[in-house]
Amino acid sequence: MTAEIICVGTELLLGNILNKNAQYLAQQLANLGIPHYYQTVVGDNVTRLKQVVEVAIARSKILIFTGGLGPTPDDLTTETLADLFGVPLVENPEILEDIARKYAIRGRVMTPSNRKQAFIPQGATVLPNPAGTAPGIVWSPTSNLHILTFPGVPSEMQRMWQETAVPYLKTLGFGQEIIFSRTLKFWGIAESALAEKVSAFLNLPNPTVAPYASRGEVKLRICAKATSLAAAEELIAPIAQQLQTIGGLNYYGQDDDSLASVVGQLLQQANATLSVAESCTGGGLGQMLTDVSGSSRYFMGGVISYDNQVKVSLLGVDPQALIQEGAVSSTVAAQMAQGVRSRLGTTWGLSITGIAGPDGGSPTKPVGLVYIGLAQANGTVQTFEHRYGQDRSRSLIRHLSACTALDALRRKLLDSQF
Amino acid sequence: MTAEIICVGTELLLGNILNKNAQYLAQQLANLGIPHYYQTVVGDNVTRLKQVVEVAIARSKILIFTGGLGPTPDDLTTETLADLFGVPLVENPEILEDIARKYAIRGRVMTPSNRKQAFIPQGATVLPNPAGTAPGIVWSPTSNLHILTFPGVPSEMQRMWQETAVPYLKTLGFGQEIIFSRTLKFWGIAESALAEKVSAFLNLPNPTVAPYASRGEVKLRICAKATSLAAAEELIAPIAQQLQTIGGLNYYGQDDDSLASVVGQLLQQANATLSVAESCTGGGLGQMLTDVSGSSRYFMGGVISYDNQVKVSLLGVDPQALIQEGAVSSTVAAQMAQGVRSRLGTTWGLSITGIAGPDGGSPTKPVGLVYIGLAQANGTVQTFEHRYGQDRSRSLIRHLSACTALDALRRKLLDSQF
């Protein structure tokens, strides 16, 4: 029995609001193990709403509506459904009483238009709305078809979902099986390359494995269907283990892990501290590191050496190197990393200098050219050159630079464990 | 001729990601005056995608797809469309060359699976992707039906929309009547307070005025419908002028302006420079400032003094003040601002120290307590205390802190102009 989400509202078609309801309901359906293959958005229009419902009935058995339950004339979900199934609307005295009571509490007078909200299709059951005036319905107009309606206001919809819809869906036998997923995260490998390496896993029936990519990061989502969380985890664990092994050093963490949180854990395991020197990222690397609560245990701080003078005065970069090799060079990256490490007295010093664009590039040093420096306690310093390409945005080049710097340190910390 | 948005991706059905692409495209269609009555989301499944396209063809003449253009086997939008219309896929040498070139720039080797992205239906035209490897197509498989495909990555999709899809849609005759909007931005006033002040404007027919709020910022969107951009701007200008006047100093800019870009303009007008000293924001203030291209003209850099030792060693904060008043105090904020200003030799020095949480709060210094310091060339320093409340997230407290620091400087720079 599969579900379909139908969101009703012209404001969605105009792009005035983001459809967060669809995402919430999608997650909830997954948790209950209810397959869900389609989502539709349609405006406040009877003809088009009817057409959408007719299409949905032919392919789905549980229809979940959001929106169109309010008191105004353009709220027409309930009427349209009743009309479509040839059932009259009947006034429900409990709803009427509930609306009147809620208006009284707020010191407002109920208007005739509110009375409209008390009419539901004959044979439907009220889905109470504890947080607002517009109730929904639960209705089986034909055998093996289940209709649930919710208001469009996310807070009301979510409370109704939890308090009344979930218990109802459980009486239909759902929620016995759950869908649980784990996401493995990789850095330093392209989506296509990783997908080829793990191609044998991409057609598994349960758990399924699917690759995603965004802003330089590649993810593999392992998704299991099982009768309990423990059973789902048991299905996932051996697959996750194999995928991690295939990913090798490119695998860095899972689910809520970030490169910064993983680096933080490795630093703490090694009893080590970190400082940063940033040019083109302008503080973005420090911000990523301090996004992690508790990062003060290993992150001491750093220098934003945006201007060359600051590279000299606060980091001790050689002015000759700036003149001869330029601020965006391996030499300057190395000196920045060493400078911040020695001045802040940390185990590691990590630096970034590059050209984030859109201006500032040259034929020999194009936009997207970035140097990362990594200085360590024994006095050695390594540098890494990256070319992110001139077709990427300033924001993306800065993001990739900070992530790649963290990744360089992560690999080094892992190396030193062996 | 109406459009339909079809978003392809199992990750949307699982609720893993929010469908921001649908909202973006909906807004864009509205701007071009293209009616759009349906949005559909479907997973990475050939049979169901075909069924969705068949439904869409019967009711819409412009089909806009996002997702399913990548190199992996579950990316199947292009193949499914070709199959549905009984047209073979042909390899496009330009795409192949473009992908190979992009891989070469990034120093990566193209894999056989990338080659898949170079196949498009016979008769289709390439919709170039300047920001990524997966191109889209523009295709009229039958008369009076237009198909446009985009990758699911929002940054790539948006650039393709602007650079190639809009010109194409204009050749079809769209965009004659336009919807044009301007967004006024405010900082330092609550949405409800601003909405009350401008309540007389909220029921205008054309242009319309609507308030929005997010993460501390309040916006008024003025939206006009007209036959030309100039006519729309003429409708908007007098309303914008009045709303700005009502907003007073809380109004800071419009559209693409950010607090950081406005501060940058004011600094340049005053021939002034800025440095920052950050504790709880850990680099976030520097990152905001350097998000602005060309910020090196007035932003010199700063110190991320996350650890107290760094406040002493790099900023000259008095160790006694740290012991007696604590790192989160007005005194330390003042010394941080003065310290970074004098060490970096800038006109202004801006500092932030606070408790971003979730840990580290106490009864006298709760989570959300933040001090901002602003030092100026004449030796004076001002501090500002803010209490953002313990129910806000670490991420939001850090964001509000950085924005409020910029806003403090903005107001000071505006003051000194008069």
Side-chain angles (χ1 to χ4, degrees):
Chain A
M1 193 139 59
T2 65
E4 176 153 353
I5 297 169
I6 300 173
C7 301
V8 186
T10 301
E11 67 276 23
L12 287 164
L13 294 181
L14 290 171
N16 291 337
I17 58 169
L18 194 55
N19 196 353
K20 292 184 184 168
N21 284 343
Q23 186 187 26
Y24 176 84
L25 290 168
Q27 288 169 342
Q28 293 294 318
L29 289 170
N31 289 349
L32 287 174
I34 300 177
H36 146 243
Y37 297 139
Y38 307 94
Q39 294 169 3
T40 311
V41 175
V42 63
D44 303 310
N45 176 289
V46 171
T47 312
R48 290 193 281 269
L49 178 54
K50 273 191 187 165
Q51 193 261 336
V52 161
V53 178
E54 278 163 2
V55 168
I57 290 169
R59 63 191 182 191
S60 307
K61 294 299 164 205
I62 303 175
L63 309 190
I64 297 169
F65 292 82
T66 67
L69 301 187
T72 63
D74 66 347
D75 290 307
L76 35 77
T77 301
T78 312
E79 299 86 311
T80 305
L81 288 172
D83 191 37
L84 190 70
F85 291 98
V87 167
L89 287 169
V90 291
E91 193 174 47
N92 183 300
E94 283 168 49
I95 301 177
L96 199 63
E97 203 177 297
D98 186 59
I99 297 175
R101 192 180 54 78
K102 282 171 178 163
Y103 269 73
I105 289 173
R106 295 175 198 173
R108 286 187 183 164
V109 178
M110 198 173 122
T111 62
S113 66
N114 291 115
R115 202 173 176 111
K116 169 175 172 291
Q117 295 179 299
F119 284 82
I120 63 171
Q122 199 164 52
T125 308
V126 179
L127 193 64
N129 181 347
T133 57
I137 57 167
V138 175
W139 189 27
S140 276
T142 63
S143 70
N144 209 20
L145 176 67
H146 302 272
I147 288 175
L148 291 89
T149 68
F150 297 86
V153 180
S155 57
E156 298 182 15
M157 184 275 284
Q158 291 177 19
R159 215 169 136 188
M160 285 168 71
W161 178 266
Q162 296 296 348
E163 294 180 16
T164 45
V166 170
Y168 173 77
L169 291 167
K170 287 198 168 166
T171 64
L172 298 182
F174 292 107
Q176 321 300 325
E177 230 187 15
I178 61 150
I179 293 176
F180 181 75
S181 71
R182 186 181 298 168
T183 301
L184 307 187
K185 298 181 170 181
F186 301 82
W187 191 271
I189 184 167
E191 184 186 12
S192 52
L194 184 62
E196 269 173 40
K197 283 184 180 223
V198 302
S199 60
F201 294 82
L202 301 183
N203 291 314
L204 292 181
N206 188 22
T208 58
V209 176
Y212 302 96
S214 73
R215 288 166 65 85
E217 180 169 272
V218 182
K219 299 175 190 174
L220 292 176
R221 189 164 190 271
I222 314 170
C223 192
K225 201 165 185 174
T227 52
S228 71
L229 188 63
E233 281 178 337
E234 217 164 284
L235 286 169
I236 289 172
I239 304 297
Q241 188 52 56
Q242 293 173 67
L243 294 172
Q244 284 180 33
T245 305
I246 293 170
L249 273 176
N250 295 316
Y251 167 79
Y252 78 80
Q254 62 180 39
D255 295 335
D256 294 336
D257 290 338
S258 65
L259 282 165
S261 73
V262 168
V263 161
Q265 286 157 18
L266 292 170
L267 286 168
Q268 286 188 81
Q269 283 166 21
N271 254 321
T273 56
L274 173 66
S275 59
V276 299
E278 302 187 55
S279 187
C280 67
T281 47
L285 176 57
Q287 192 185 31
M288 271 185 196
L289 283 158
T290 57
D291 267 344
V292 181
S293 175
S295 48
S296 59
R297 284 195 285 272
Y298 48 84
F299 178 64
M300 297 300 109
V303 171
I304 304 170
S305 55
Y306 211 56
D307 189 72
N308 281 350
Q309 268 310 313
V310 181
K311 294 183 181 75
V312 175
S313 63
L314 288 193
L315 295 172
V317 169
D318 175 13
Q320 283 304 311
L322 286 168
I323 294 165
Q324 284 162 13
E325 309 196 27
V328 179
S329 64
S330 171
T331 306
V332 169
Q335 293 183 5
M336 286 170 65
Q338 288 175 310
V340 79
R341 198 197 73 75
S342 68
R343 273 160 186 74
L344 268 68
T346 51
T347 323
W348 297 92
L350 188 58
S351 72
I352 303 176
T353 179
I355 303 158
D359 308 316
S362 70
T364 50
K365 296 193 176 175
V367 167
L369 175 66
V370 175
Y371 290 91
I372 288 164
L374 179 55
Q376 61 187 104
N378 61 15
T380 62
V381 59
Q382 269 186 292
T383 61
F384 307 87
E385 181 186 297
H386 292 275
R387 288 172 188 266
Y388 295 118
Q390 301 180 55
D391 50 353
R392 283 175 159 143
S393 71
R394 175 178 178 86
S395 157
L396 184 55
I397 289 170
R398 280 156 46 94
H399 177 79
L400 294 174
S401 301
C403 288
T404 307
L406 289 172
D407 191 55
L409 176 56
R410 179 184 71 84
R411 287 168 193 261
K412 193 82 188 167
L413 286 164
L414 283 173
D415 262 358
S416 61
Q417 284 187 342
F418 301 109
Chain B
M1 193 140 60
T2 66
E4 177 154 351
I5 298 169
I6 300 173
C7 302
V8 186
T10 301
E11 66 276 23
L12 288 163
L13 295 181
L14 290 171
N16 291 338
I17 58 170
L18 195 53
N19 195 352
K20 292 184 183 167
N21 283 343
Q23 185 187 27
Y24 175 86
L25 289 168
Q27 289 169 341
Q28 293 295 319
L29 289 169
N31 288 349
L32 288 173
I34 300 177
H36 145 242
Y37 296 139
Y38 307 94
Q39 295 169 3
T40 310
V41 175
V42 63
D44 302 310
N45 175 288
V46 171
T47 311
R48 292 192 280 268
L49 177 55
K50 273 191 188 166
Q51 193 262 337
V52 161
V53 178
E54 278 163 1
V55 168
I57 290 170
R59 65 191 181 190
S60 307
K61 294 298 163 205
I62 304 175
L63 309 190
I64 298 170
F65 292 83
T66 67
L69 301 187
T72 62
D74 66 346
D75 291 308
L76 35 78
T77 301
T78 312
E79 296 88 309
T80 305
L81 289 171
D83 190 39
L84 190 68
F85 291 99
V87 166
L89 288 170
V90 290
E91 192 173 44
N92 182 302
E94 283 168 49
I95 302 177
L96 199 64
E97 204 178 296
D98 186 58
I99 296 175
R101 191 183 56 79
K102 283 171 177 162
Y103 268 74
I105 289 172
R106 293 170 198 173
R108 284 187 182 168
V109 178
M110 197 174 126
T111 61
S113 66
N114 289 114
R115 202 172 177 110
K116 169 175 174 290
Q117 296 179 302
F119 282 83
I120 64 171
Q122 199 162 55
T125 308
V126 179
L127 194 63
N129 181 347
T133 55
I137 58 168
V138 175
W139 188 28
S140 275
T142 62
S143 69
N144 210 20
L145 177 67
H146 302 272
I147 287 174
L148 292 90
T149 67
F150 297 86
V153 181
S155 58
E156 297 181 15
M157 184 275 285
Q158 292 179 17
R159 219 173 131 185
M160 284 169 71
W161 177 266
Q162 296 297 346
E163 294 180 15
T164 45
V166 170
Y168 174 77
L169 292 167
K170 287 199 169 165
T171 65
L172 300 182
F174 291 107
Q176 314 303 324
E177 206 183 38
I178 60 150
I179 295 176
F180 181 75
S181 70
R182 187 182 298 170
T183 301
L184 306 186
K185 298 181 171 183
F186 302 81
W187 190 270
I189 184 167
E191 183 184 15
S192 54
L194 185 62
E196 265 172 45
K197 284 183 179 224
V198 303
S199 60
F201 294 83
L202 301 184
N203 292 313
L204 293 181
N206 189 22
T208 58
V209 176
Y212 301 94
S214 73
R215 289 166 63 86
E217 180 169 272
V218 181
K219 300 175 189 174
L220 292 176
R221 187 164 189 268
I222 313 169
C223 191
K225 200 166 186 173
T227 52
S228 72
L229 187 63
E233 280 178 338
E234 217 165 283
L235 288 169
I236 288 173
I239 304 296
Q241 188 52 56
Q242 293 173 67
L243 294 172
Q244 284 180 34
T245 306
I246 293 170
L249 270 179
N250 296 315
Y251 167 78
Y252 78 80
Q254 62 182 36
D255 295 334
D256 293 336
D257 290 339
S258 65
L259 282 165
S261 73
V262 169
V263 161
Q265 286 157 19
L266 292 168
L267 286 168
Q268 286 187 82
Q269 283 165 22
N271 255 322
T273 56
L274 174 65
S275 58
V276 298
E278 302 187 55
S279 188
C280 68
T281 46
L285 176 57
Q287 192 186 30
M288 272 185 195
L289 283 158
T290 57
D291 267 342
V292 181
S293 175
S295 47
S296 59
R297 285 195 286 273
Y298 48 84
F299 178 64
M300 297 299 108
V303 171
I304 304 170
S305 55
Y306 211 57
D307 188 72
N308 281 350
Q309 269 308 317
V310 181
K311 294 184 180 76
V312 175
S313 63
L314 288 193
L315 294 171
V317 169
D318 175 12
Q320 284 302 311
L322 286 168
I323 293 164
Q324 283 162 16
E325 308 196 29
V328 179
S329 64
S330 172
T331 306
V332 169
Q335 292 183 5
M336 285 170 66
Q338 288 176 310
V340 78
R341 198 197 74 76
S342 68
R343 275 161 185 74
L344 269 67
T346 51
T347 324
W348 298 91
L350 188 56
S351 71
I352 303 175
T353 178
I355 303 159
D359 307 317
S362 70
T364 50
K365 295 193 176 176
V367 167
L369 176 66
V370 174
Y371 290 91
I372 288 163
L374 180 55
Q376 60 187 105
N378 61 16
T380 63
V381 59
Q382 270 187 292
T383 61
F384 308 86
E385 181 186 297
H386 292 274
R387 288 171 189 267
Y388 294 117
Q390 302 180 53
D391 49 355
R392 283 176 159 138
S393 70
R394 175 179 179 84
S395 156
L396 184 55
I397 289 170
R398 281 155 45 95
H399 178 80
L400 293 173
S401 302
C403 288
T404 307
L406 290 171
D407 190 55
L409 176 56
R410 179 183 71 86
R411 286 168 194 261
K412 193 81 190 170
L413 287 164
L414 284 171
D415 262 358
S416 60
Q417 284 187 340
F418 301 110

